Amino acid sequence: MTIEQKLVKVGMADLGTASEDEVIRTTGLGSCVGLTLYDPKARLAGLAHIMLPTSAIARESNLNLAKYADTAVPELIRRMVLAGASANRLVAKMAGGAQMFVFAGQSDTMRIGPRNVESCKLALLPFAIPIIGEDTGGNYGRTIELDCRSGILAIRSVQYGAKEL
Amino acid sequence: MSMFDGFHDFKLDVLKEVGNIGAGNAATALSRLLDKPIDMTVPRVNLIQFDEIAERVGGSEQVVVAVFLRVDGDAPGNMFFIIEQKSAKTMLNNLLSIKVASEDHYTEMEYSALSEIGNILAGSYLSSLADFTRLSMVPTVPSIAVDMAGAILSFGLLQHGQMGDSALLIDTAFLEGEESMEGHFFLIPDPDSFEKIFRALGVPSE
């Protein structure tokens, strides 16, 4: 075990950044996608717990940028640059986007997990941020944790235990 | 700001009664199935933050057994029947005299039985609600998952996700004293369904 690391928690439809010897975590990703960005040189990490693919469907008056893939990606980049990261050093890893329940008639809502993953990738494209690790899909929940010191993304699930990206 | 901030206590009381009637019927059905007395709590109707919803069943990472049904019809919504793993196994033991093989693994037969229990309970919950409101509420075929509560419940919050960061939830817990089984019914009507429910029950709109 390593020396105690400070933990930064990110809730559902939320985003945050962490630095130096901190660890950033989000729990219980189902159809949501946990998108992490990492600047290896500055040892800065960012994490967004994205719930829905596009803000075009938003009906809320105060838009929560962290909730939608198309708004969360630019906002997370902005926050990381503000914290001292360099946009052209960023690398992305993502996990989640599962289909928790399987139904006979697959409506659009039911396919929300895969759509979240697609939207995240689409939103990363204009920033030319490479996706260097991905553990998405399936039908199970995940908890993820990014270590700022190493940039390693640890993924835990009930059915498949732990893995690292 | 959420569309529900303006709900008066009276409206929340109406929703509590909705939960009472539905869960009361479901608890009776469960009691018959298990041939044991089942108690239920007074429904809790709150607008809760997405993050806090999983706290009701032990936290985001707590592994639970959940039967999910989508409710179609006049007042669509999502419904969960959620029990702890231990309670699920106890229930299987009592109901089917299945000798439980392992604490955290489920056979096809066990899945199927739990799914059917969820189906019966949700059916009785919804049919009593439909009678009460005279709205059509039709459950879809149930789907079962054993996983982290956060991952499961977030699926039922998608419709509310477009409106804000919280959902109005009708939560009723039921308990079986002797073997300390505990479970929850969560009814999460779609945002647009609330007005329909109120209108059907003659609650004046503001």
Side-chain angles (χ1 to χ4, degrees):
Chain A
M1 283 300 287
T2 48
I3 311 156
E4 269 186 45
Q5 286 179 277
K6 208 182 138 215
L7 178 69
V8 179
K9 284 184 185 165
V10 174
M12 194 187 296
D14 191 10
L15 58 78
T17 61
S19 61
E20 290 168 26
D21 55 357
E22 291 175 331
V23 168
I24 190 162
R25 175 198 288 171
T26 195
T27 58
L29 289 166
S31 58
C32 299
V33 169
L35 174 75
T36 67
L37 296 178
Y38 183 61
D39 178 339
K41 191 151 176 260
R43 294 199 174 174
L44 278 163
L47 170 64
H49 186 136
I50 294 162
M51 191 177 176
L52 293 165
T54 165
S55 59
I57 55 170
R59 292 159 68 194
E60 52 187 328
S61 41
N62 289 331
L63 196 68
N64 175 359
L65 297 175
K67 188 159 42 185
Y68 308 94
D70 63 329
T71 52
V73 170
E75 175 64 10
L76 189 61
I77 295 169
R78 193 186 68 81
R79 290 272 294 274
M80 288 195 63
V81 169
L82 215 61
S86 167
N88 53 29
R89 279 199 304 257
L90 292 177
V91 289
K93 289 180 183 176
M94 56 206 248
Q99 273 182 279
M100 295 305 293
F101 296 97
V102 182
F103 299 93
Q106 295 276 326
S107 74
D108 244 19
T109 326
M110 304 308 177
R111 245 182 50 77
I112 199 82
R115 282 174 59 212
N116 279 336
V117 175
E118 287 157 24
S119 297
C120 282
K121 289 180 181 170
L122 212 61
L124 283 168
L125 263 183
F127 299 98
I129 295 175
I131 299 165
I132 59 167
E134 182 181 344
D135 178 38
T136 56
N139 62 347
Y140 54 92
R142 296 168 174 91
T143 283
I144 62 168
E145 199 173 281
L146 189 82
D147 190 329
C148 286
R149 293 179 304 191
S150 60
I152 289 174
L153 183 68
I155 301 162
R156 271 188 298 127
S157 65
V158 175
Q159 294 172 44
Y160 300 101
K163 68 186 267 188
E164 286 186 345
L165 281 181
Chain B
M1 281 288 283
S2 161
M3 67 183 286
F4 306 118
D5 287 349
F7 274 18
H8 292 307
D9 287 349
F10 176 64
K11 282 194 168 176
L12 294 180
D13 282 342
V14 168
L15 293 176
K16 269 185 200 158
E17 190 52 27
V18 163
N20 226 346
I21 289 171
N25 271 276
T28 308
L30 183 61
S31 172
R32 285 212 194 102
L33 268 177
L34 300 176
D35 197 20
K36 283 190 163 49
I38 303 285
D39 289 329
M40 56 178 265
T41 60
V42 176
R44 290 202 280 176
V45 179
N46 307 93
L47 185 65
I48 46 181
Q49 292 293 313
F50 290 159
D51 266 334
E52 291 164 19
I53 292 177
E55 298 302 322
R56 290 280 177 90
V57 289
S60 175
E61 289 192 278
Q62 174 72 42
V63 178
V64 295
V65 178
V67 177
F68 170 81
L69 303 104
R70 175 81 187 146
V71 182
D72 288 332
D74 295 333
N78 295 317
M79 176 151 209
F80 290 99
F81 169 64
I82 294 185
I83 40 179
E84 285 173 17
Q85 295 216 75
K86 198 167 153 285
S87 301
K89 291 288 185 181
T90 310
M91 206 175 269
L92 287 170
N93 227 333
N94 285 345
L95 184 64
L96 303 164
S97 310
I98 295 178
K99 187 83 188 110
V100 173
S102 110
E103 277 288 308
D104 51 5
H105 179 263
Y106 295 82
T107 62
E108 278 298 311
M109 175 71 180
E110 290 175 339
Y111 268 133
S112 168
L114 286 170
S115 197
E116 189 50 32
I117 292 172
N119 197 20
I120 290 169
L121 300 187
S124 56
Y125 191 120
L126 291 173
S127 66
S128 61
L129 262 195
D131 285 349
F132 176 56
T133 58
R134 292 174 181 273
L135 294 169
S136 102
M137 292 184 184
V138 189
T140 59
V141 177
S143 183
I144 188 165
V146 180
D147 214 313
M148 302 175 188
I152 285 172
L153 285 168
S154 61
F155 191 78
L157 303 173
L158 296 173
Q159 287 81 6
H160 281 262
Q162 304 171 16
M163 314 289 300
D165 297 331
S166 50
L168 195 58
L169 170 88
I170 305 173
D171 170 14
T172 320
F174 64 86
L175 309 145
E176 196 276 321
E178 280 172 50
E179 317 214 34
S180 63
M181 272 190 282
E182 192 186 333
H184 286 263
F185 291 106
F186 285 169
L187 178 64
I188 311 172
D190 286 357
D192 294 334
S193 294
F194 287 99
E195 267 320 303
K196 288 180 194 151
I197 293 171
F198 290 140
R199 213 177 307 135
L201 293 174
V203 179
S205 52
E206 282 138 53

